[in-house]
Amino acid sequence: EFPEFRVRRHSIPPFIPLERLARQFLPQQPREFLGILFQHLNAFVGRRHQLEEFQEQFSEWLRGAPSSNSLCNLLRFRYRIPGKSEI
């Protein structure tokens, strides 16, 4: 029999549905809970890394710094086309 698992203090970003996942999976499927939580965290870190790579690789074309939401799934930026005159 499993001891009762609970989520206590954590640093999981608030946009990850931690409470819902805990209610759904933690009581009977703790490994499933950890697997799904890992997927959410990995997706967030991957998107954030892509934003950093985008800024590094295309910095000469970007006008100002790109902005994103906390999930890093919405990106706003301005760019210029090399060789075109600026307006």
Side-chain angles (χ1 to χ4, degrees):
E1 202 171 302
F2 293 110
E4 185 178 323
F5 291 108
R6 287 184 277 167
V7 176
R8 292 192 179 230
R9 294 172 40 166
H10 63 81
S11 60
I12 303 297
F15 50 79
I16 294 177
L18 185 63
E19 291 179 19
R20 181 180 57 81
L21 293 173
R23 277 193 315 273
Q24 186 175 359
F25 295 105
L26 198 52
Q28 300 300 320
Q29 300 170 304
R31 287 180 187 230
E32 187 73 17
F33 168 77
L34 292 174
I36 293 171
L37 181 59
F38 174 78
Q39 289 174 355
H40 278 281
L41 291 170
N42 198 30
F44 165 65
V45 170
R47 290 188 303 267
R48 191 176 60 190
H49 179 71
Q50 286 177 332
L51 173 59
E52 292 166 359
E53 288 287 312
F54 175 76
Q55 286 178 281
E56 287 177 18
Q57 292 181 12
F58 298 102
S59 62
E60 64 196 40
W61 294 2
L62 295 175
R63 299 174 81 197
S67 62
S68 69
N69 61 356
S70 60
L71 274 166
C72 290
N73 68 351
L74 178 64
L75 177 62
R76 179 181 292 168
F77 61 94
R78 294 180 54 158
Y79 63 93
R80 66 177 185 79
I81 299 172
K84 293 269 188 174
S85 62
E86 303 257 343
I87 297 176

